[in-house]
Each structure stands twice: as structure tokens, then as C-alpha cells.
Amino acid sequence: MADLLTTEPGALPGEPPATTGLTMQQAINRALAELLEEDPRTLVLGEDVGRLGGVFRVTDGLQQRFGRRRVMDTPLAESAIVGMSVGLAMAGWKPIPELQFDGFAYPAIDQIVNQLARMRYRSRGALPMPVTLRVPSYGGIQAPEHHGESLEAVFAHVPGLKVVSPSTPGEAYRLLKTAVRDPDPVVFMEPKSRYWDRGPVDSAAGAAEDGPEDEPRLRIARPGRHATLVTWGAMVRRCLQVAELAAADGVDLEVVDLRWLKPVDADGLAAAVRRTRRAVVVHEAPRTAGLGAEISALLMERCFADLRSPVRRVTGYDVPTPAGPLEEHYLPDADRILLAVQNVLEN
């Protein structure tokens, strides 16, 4: 108890103070702690999120601090996790369910599409769905099959769902708090390969009080003059590395972190691409019908007369996400991204 009293609000005993460097895993944990502390209606549930603290330890210590009625272990049943969250939201709670891995979302697709996404519409607004579905996503850790999927296009295609994906610890902290305060269901796609990245987290910055409508949706991660790399999640860091490599050859690349994949900040994106007049979209998901196609179409509709080259896409391949060491041959790497940049610059 003494340790709790001498620790700042939202931080567990022994944690670094606010504004110092945290890993993304720690930043999400801190945001969850603060959300649980702020609102007694907030609940965390999922497989192993309680006693174990989550397979990635993102919820470590929360059950000990807030009790088993607020941080609940569930059966290994994704459909039940999402279904229970829908029922809890209908009863006035604010659930934050976790699905352990992206590929495990498929067993819950009926509850996500036919219940979670539609309940507010179906009830003509009488039943808001303030559910934030946390999904550790994307590849990069050479895990087994079903542990490295990129489902953003699946989620973004469903009316009624919002989709957000952070790229840094600070973004994860702030965007999670914004998502939880939203009255609509939000799929929060956490780049699991970045859980151990460390960066500044400004607790005082908080989040937009009124949800994503007041939140600047995209972020210029790096300004540039010659071409724009449009990306999100784990690929933001890779694109920043590519920009550094290009800079050594005198090519100044801008990197746009999309952050909100739905709704997309269409005006902000168009304005960014108009500045360089060339764009390359980078994502991990397979190419066909991926979100890159939607982004490319959006840019064609809004910036066609300004573009000096067709929009290019660098993506995963149209195959199941490979497991283990084969993954590095699947994910977009620096050479593939630089080749696309060269292509848009030469056209």
C-alpha cells in the first residue's frame, strides 16, 4: 500500500515516471491502468490477461491491482470473448477484450461483424458499443502459423467498426485512451514486433476527450520533399529506416503514419501527397484487396491531377503469411521499398 501511495496515478510501484522512456508494452499497460482507475465501468478480459498478465505481459499486474472482477481470465474461446463484450456493453460496461493473436480473430468474426459492429445501428443508437478490441497484430516475430496476420482490410471493410494502429509507445498510450473513450467499437491493432521498442510517453498529453473526431488522425513521422511513404503499424519504423538510407543518396522522403485506418484522414493524406506529388504505400498484408488498394484509389480520386507518377504499393505476397524464418522473405524490406521509390521518381 505504501508503494501505491508514493506512485504517480496510473503507474505501478517501481515503474518509470511519466514522460520517460517506456516500451510499447509498458505504455499500453499504463494506459490500461489509468483507464481502469478513471472509470469503474471499464473491464479488461481475455485469455490469460489476468493471472499471467497476457502472453506478451501487456496486462501484467492489472489483476493484482484491480481485482478479478475487473481484469478477467476467460476460456480459450474468441467468439465468447467478443460475445461477452457485446453483452457487457449493452449493460453499460466499457469492455476492453484482448484476442491473443491476430489469426485468432477468425473464430470471432460472426460476433465482430454481426453483433459488435451492428448493435448501435440496429438499436438506432440506443445501445452504444464502447468496446475496444485489442488485437496483437502483424508479423516480425517469426511465430507459428496464425500468429502473424495483418487483418486491417478485413476490419476496415466492416461498417460500424473503427480501426487504429499505433507505431510508437507514445502513440500506443494516447491512441488507446482515445479509442476507449469512443462510443463506437474500435479495433486496436498493436504491432507485436514493436512491443519492446522504447520511446517517450507523455502521460500529461492524455487523449482527445471526445474521441477520434478531435484527434489528428495521421502523423507526419518524417517530413520530406521528393516522395511520400504511406504506412502504419510496424512498417512505420521500417519506412523511417528506408528514408534514412535514401537521404544518404540525396533523396528526401516523407513518411506518413496513417494511425487511423478507418476512418482514414483523407484530407490530411491528400495534402501530404500533394506536397511531394509521388506516393508509395507500404503494408504487410497481402497485396490483392489490401488496404493499400483503398489508399491508392483515394489518392487517385483526390490528387490525380497533382501526381507525377502512379501510386505504387509494396506489400506482402498473395500467400498465407509464412511461419518462422520464411517470414523475412514475405515482409516488405528496405530493398523492395527503395525499388518502388526509384520507380516513382523515374516516372
Side-chain angles (χ1 to χ4, degrees):
M1 179 62 76
D3 285 339
L4 286 176
L5 293 175
T6 57
T7 302
E8 65 176 287
L12 292 169
E15 278 190 338
T19 71
T20 62
L22 298 179
T23 64
M24 182 179 287
Q25 169 206 47
Q26 292 172 325
I28 295 172
N29 180 280
R30 172 166 291 186
L32 290 170
E34 292 178 359
L35 289 161
L36 286 161
E37 191 171 73
E38 290 168 6
D39 189 343
R41 297 174 300 164
T42 303
L43 306 171
V44 171
L45 65 155
E47 299 165 11
D48 294 326
V49 301
R51 184 176 179 181
L52 181 66
V55 69
F56 293 105
R57 302 298 186 272
V58 170
T59 54
D60 199 21
L62 296 181
Q63 188 180 76
Q64 292 89 329
R65 184 175 178 184
F66 295 98
R68 296 171 62 184
R69 290 180 176 271
R70 307 267 322 271
V71 181
M72 297 175 282
D73 284 317
T74 66
L76 302 180
E78 289 76 14
S79 58
I81 293 170
V82 178
M84 283 192 294
S85 298
V86 171
L88 287 165
M90 292 171 68
W93 298 89
K94 298 174 70 174
I96 309 175
E98 176 189 300
L99 303 181
Q100 271 189 350
F101 286 92
D102 31 53
F104 300 175
Y106 290 120
I109 204 70
D110 180 34
Q111 284 70 27
I112 293 172
V113 174
N114 290 325
Q115 305 299 331
L116 181 64
R118 297 186 183 208
M119 194 57 70
R120 189 176 188 186
Y121 171 82
R122 185 180 296 153
S123 66
R124 299 183 181 180
L127 294 173
M129 280 287 114
V131 177
T132 301
L133 179 61
R134 294 184 43 246
V135 185
S137 297
Y138 315 119
I141 62 170
Q142 299 194 357
E145 188 181 8
H146 302 307
H147 292 64
E149 311 280 323
S150 302
L151 303 183
E152 63 267 38
V154 176
F155 296 132
H157 190 65
V158 179
L161 293 181
K162 296 176 180 176
V163 185
V164 62
S165 188
S167 61
T168 68
E171 292 289 304
Y173 170 84
R174 196 162 55 85
L175 290 172
L176 179 58
K177 299 190 83 170
T178 300
V180 172
R181 289 169 178 159
D182 196 287
D184 292 316
V186 178
V187 180
F188 194 80
M189 299 182 65
E190 300 169 6
K192 64 176 83 76
S193 65
R194 302 293 181 246
Y195 272 145
W196 301 275
D197 286 3
R198 190 174 291 276
V201 175
D202 185 359
S203 298
E209 292 295 332
D210 298 322
E213 302 306 322
D214 290 344
E215 174 83 2
R217 290 182 188 154
L218 64 72
R219 177 176 71 99
I220 305 298
R222 173 195 169 104
R225 296 175 295 125
H226 296 142
T228 302
L229 301 179
V230 182
T231 190
W232 53 88
M235 281 291 112
V236 172
R237 192 177 76 177
R238 180 150 300 173
C239 286
L240 289 171
Q241 293 168 340
V242 167
E244 290 297 320
L245 293 171
D249 288 333
V251 177
D252 190 11
L253 296 179
E254 182 158 289
V255 177
V256 170
D257 177 4
L258 211 53
R259 302 200 299 187
W260 285 93
L261 312 185
K262 186 185 178 183
V264 170
D265 183 352
D267 291 339
L269 179 62
V273 172
R274 283 196 188 100
R275 286 194 292 272
T276 65
R277 308 180 75 173
R278 297 177 173 87
V280 175
V281 186
V282 181
H283 63 66
E284 298 186 20
R287 180 185 182 88
T288 300
L291 197 62
E294 177 69 20
I295 300 301
S296 177
L298 187 153
L299 292 173
M300 292 296 185
E301 290 167 352
R302 291 180 174 248
C303 310
F304 183 78
D306 301 304
L307 292 172
R308 289 182 174 173
S309 174
V311 177
R312 297 289 175 178
R313 290 174 288 163
V314 183
T315 70
Y317 298 107
D318 286 341
V319 299
T321 307
L326 288 176
E327 187 185 58
E328 65 181 84
H329 302 290
Y330 169 86
L331 298 175
D333 60 18
D335 287 343
R336 289 173 59 196
I337 300 170
L338 285 169
L339 186 61
V341 170
Q342 182 181 354
N343 193 294
V344 297
L345 291 175
E346 290 178 349
N347 278 307

